[in-house]
Amino acid sequence: MQTPAPGTLRILHLSDTHLTGDGALHQGTVDTTAALEALLDHLGAVDGVGLVVVSGDVSEDGSPESYATVRRLVGGWAARRGAAFVAVPGNHDQRAGFRRVLFDGHVLGEGGQELLHTMEHHDPSVPVRGRSLVAGRRVVTVDTSVPGAGYGEVGAAALEHLRTALAEPAPHGSVVVLHHPPLPAPTSLHDALKLRNPGELAAVLRDSDVRVVLAGHYHHHFAGSLAGVPVLVAPGVANDADVTGPYDEETALVGTGALVVDVAEDGLLWSTPVRVPRPDADQRALHLDAETSARIAADSGPA
Ligand SMILES: [Fe+2]
């Protein structure tokens, strides 16, 4: 891959690592720790990464052990390259375990330096809020998870956090990282689990200095825009949704990928999807028939 031009912030965008604390296979089929290791290994030759983000569903079980794994693997990869490391919770994450290991999600700052955090107690009802400055870009993480549910929402506290963070323009613009994308969902299950209030997010993004919104959740690469701001959805590390199947069924294939996103000083944005070749790729990792999809949608969607 080309080396980023001077002044460009290169972001390695990972999502949906679904790590388990006890090594249990994701959906009974995928060793997600091995998938993450294979991906990071494959990306080892990519030059000039200044920031690594994991845009939610970091953990499958919310255990501190699973967050320690992401801290070790992704944080270690970032630190060795002098890159910052930022994560945000998704619907599978649990805020208590997340905070215990990853604090406010801004773990490593510019140059891969450990950021200092004071251990504060937060009730799990309080969204994880963080921001940092990397190469002149403000990186704002917005927690769209709703405790106990699968769908997403930018609640009042998270919206206020974003509004406050964006109140003053950053030298080279801002980057927003969140889990539930403000884009249409590819299947009926994901439609039930989508972001409920993209309009409220759009109102804050409109006329802001945000250059890109980085999201996950759909386990497949999508690109779109909201209020004129590009929205990039990273492929899943855990598996790859098969979006060509029936709308009311959910199928995912064995497959691991990421985005390499270049954000230039002049506003140019360039995203390169990366997929890791694996011997068992494209076998089914998950299949939910229409009835099972509908039941999960009813259990995890809005009341
Ligand atoms: Fe998710």
Side-chain angles (χ1 to χ4, degrees):
M1 196 178 293
Q2 80 280 28
T3 300
T8 294
L9 173 64
R10 173 164 282 180
I11 305 172
L12 173 59
H13 178 196
L14 312 173
S15 198
D16 298 85
T17 44
H18 289 269
L19 297 164
T20 55
D22 59 2
L25 300 182
H26 180 249
Q27 302 289 348
T29 53
V30 175
D31 179 341
T32 49
T33 302
L36 178 59
E37 282 173 324
L39 176 63
L40 292 173
D41 193 43
H42 189 74
L43 289 160
V46 174
D47 253 357
V49 174
L51 167 67
V52 185
V53 311
V54 183
S55 58
D57 283 358
V58 178
S59 169
E60 174 71 9
D61 56 17
S63 64
E65 293 77 14
S66 62
Y67 295 110
T69 300
V70 83
R71 173 76 186 80
R72 177 171 58 84
L73 294 180
V74 179
W77 194 98
R80 287 193 294 280
R81 286 160 180 81
F85 167 42
V86 165
V88 71
N91 50 299
H92 281 272
D93 288 296
Q94 287 179 29
R95 288 170 177 165
F98 183 100
R99 283 189 166 113
R100 210 162 116 187
V101 180
L102 304 177
F103 311 102
D104 65 354
H106 294 247
V107 183
L108 302 178
E110 186 165 347
Q113 296 304 307
E114 193 103 20
L115 293 171
L116 294 176
H117 297 275
T118 44
M119 206 55 186
E120 290 170 66
H121 177 75
H122 291 281
D123 189 86
S125 63
V126 177
V128 176
R129 281 169 284 196
R131 61 163 135 161
S132 53
L133 201 67
V134 179
R137 279 83 175 177
R138 183 183 293 104
V139 182
V140 190
T141 44
V142 177
D143 186 350
T144 56
S145 69
V146 176
Y151 68 94
E153 200 167 53
V154 193
L159 272 176
E160 190 48 38
H161 160 63
L162 180 59
R163 215 176 274 123
T164 307
L166 299 179
E168 240 178 84
H172 302 302
S174 297
V175 173
V176 170
V177 186
L178 47 75
H179 183 62
H180 297 79
L183 296 179
T187 59
S188 61
L189 176 55
H190 273 110
D191 189 65
L193 305 186
K194 70 184 177 190
L195 186 74
R196 305 311 297 177
N197 58 339
E200 289 183 73
L201 181 64
V204 179
L205 294 180
R206 192 165 288 118
D207 303 323
S208 71
D209 74 340
V210 176
R211 298 280 174 84
V212 65
V213 174
L214 303 176
H217 190 49
Y218 289 166
H219 287 226
H220 193 73
H221 174 42
F222 292 90
S225 72
L226 181 76
V229 178
V231 178
L232 298 176
V233 181
V237 171
N239 61 36
D240 181 34
D242 180 3
V243 293
T244 59
Y247 176 70
D248 60 350
E249 295 181 15
E250 191 72 29
T251 304
L253 306 174
V254 172
T256 294
L259 301 181
V260 177
V261 182
D262 288 338
V263 188
E265 274 182 356
D266 64 1
L268 181 81
L269 183 80
W270 180 255
S271 174
T272 309
V274 177
R275 194 164 191 264
V276 176
R278 14 188 318 168
D280 55 349
D282 299 333
Q283 293 175 29
R284 264 190 183 177
L286 160 83
H287 178 72
L288 306 174
D289 60 21
E291 202 181 316
T292 312
S293 276
R295 183 171 45 73
I296 298 172
D299 288 350
S300 305

